[in-house]
Amino acid sequence: AQTVTQSQPEMSVQEAETVTLSCTYDTSENNYYLFWYKQPPSRQMILVIRQEAYKQQNATENRFSVNFQKAAKSFSLKISDSQLGDTAMYFCAFMSGAGSYQLTFGKGTKLSVIP
Amino acid sequence: NAGVTQTPKFQVLKTGQSMTLQCAQDMNHEYMSWYRQDPGMGLRLIHYSVGAGITDQGEVPNGYNVSRSTTEDFPLRLLSAAPSQTSVYFCATGRNEKLFFGSGTQLSVL
């Protein structure tokens, strides 16, 4: 079974600064997907970014980027130019193979952006 | 185009009562699933379905039943609610190796 570990229960960052959230995972598979989801106080689960394991290039979505280290089984999320609206819980998640659609989540990191 | 719709948004039950959490999607996705979220935890998979008439168990299926008679609907049934089932429940659909979540149902069992 896969496991996902987020070692930072809480973090804070000044508005406009950069912050990195950590995630490690354990799997014996070679083909998989990794995700970061954002959960604001509204409770909605919002997909932030996705990384395919077979792609060496790190995924980027506007101010959000990842550092995917396959050999180290590490998948960190970098948020640049932090905004107040980035305040939320962030969950790292693992999906094995194509078509499985079963996500394994980490316990989350609570991020607070300070004005 | 509503995406994934969950009803109700909030519910309070007494121990032993039964209820059904509704999930409907208008995206024509074959894959649907139910997760629960407990304090300090990530989401955990309860049941999932890869198409109408096909369902299977996830990580924490005990106490829950599902059925999938249409592509659009995937209800989650609690036959005899227990306080341990107090949680936030999310329905999700999947396509192109991405999951799309509903807004959740907060359930309290007293």
Side-chain angles (χ1 to χ4, degrees):
Chain A
Q2 291 80 19
T3 59
V4 177
T5 302
Q6 294 179 249
S7 58
Q8 306 149 314
E10 293 191 40
M11 296 188 71
S12 62
V13 63
Q14 292 290 136
E15 193 175 7
E17 296 295 309
T18 296
V19 64
T20 298
L21 280 57
S22 301
C23 173
T24 58
Y25 59 94
D26 188 23
T27 184
S28 59
E29 301 182 19
N30 194 47
N31 180 29
Y32 52 88
Y33 299 82
L34 295 164
F35 303 83
W36 280 98
Y37 279 89
K38 170 185 178 181
Q39 187 179 42
S42 67
R43 196 173 67 196
Q44 183 71 42
M45 292 292 289
I46 302 167
L47 177 61
V48 175
I49 201 164
R50 183 188 75 166
Q51 175 77 43
E52 294 108 324
Y54 61 86
K55 289 189 176 180
Q56 292 185 338
Q57 186 172 5
N58 289 324
T60 299
E61 291 286 345
N62 300 313
R63 297 183 294 108
F64 299 88
S65 61
V66 298
N67 183 5
F68 173 49
Q69 301 290 328
K70 190 173 184 178
K73 297 180 182 175
S74 171
F75 182 60
S76 60
L77 175 70
K78 185 172 80 172
I79 306 174
S80 304
D81 185 25
S82 296
Q83 301 175 359
L84 297 178
D86 295 333
T87 292
M89 285 291 293
Y90 287 83
F91 292 96
C92 179
F94 173 99
M95 177 193 293
S96 65
S100 76
Y101 291 104
Q102 298 177 44
L103 288 178
T104 300
F105 284 85
K107 293 185 177 182
T109 296
K110 183 177 181 180
L111 177 67
S112 298
V113 180
I114 303 167
Chain B
N1 189 349
V4 182
T5 302
Q6 289 186 238
T7 55
K9 295 192 183 304
F10 301 93
Q11 183 70 49
V12 179
L13 292 177
K14 294 182 179 179
T15 297
Q17 286 185 318
S18 63
M19 81 158 297
T20 300
L21 307 185
Q22 301 291 346
C23 177
Q25 55 116 347
D26 61 2
M27 296 183 286
N28 201 33
H29 291 171
E30 292 295 329
Y31 182 87
M32 296 186 75
S33 54
W34 279 100
Y35 288 82
R36 62 177 287 174
Q37 182 180 24
D38 300 303
M41 306 274 295
L43 279 67
R44 292 181 293 168
L45 181 63
I46 304 171
H47 284 287
Y48 66 95
S49 170
V50 298
I54 305 169
T55 63
D56 207 345
Q57 296 180 351
E59 179 186 356
V60 288
N62 292 341
Y64 307 96
N65 281 349
V66 293
S67 60
R68 183 97 178 269
S69 56
T70 66
T71 299
E72 293 78 20
D73 300 298
F74 190 44
L76 179 71
R77 297 182 183 86
L78 285 71
L79 297 179
S80 179
S84 61
Q85 294 178 303
T86 293
S87 189
V88 179
Y89 291 84
F90 288 94
C91 179
T93 71
R95 189 164 189 165
N96 296 332
E97 284 69 49
K98 293 181 182 178
L99 256 68
F100 305 90
F101 286 86
S103 58
T105 296
Q106 185 169 332
L107 176 67
S108 295
V109 182
L110 306 179

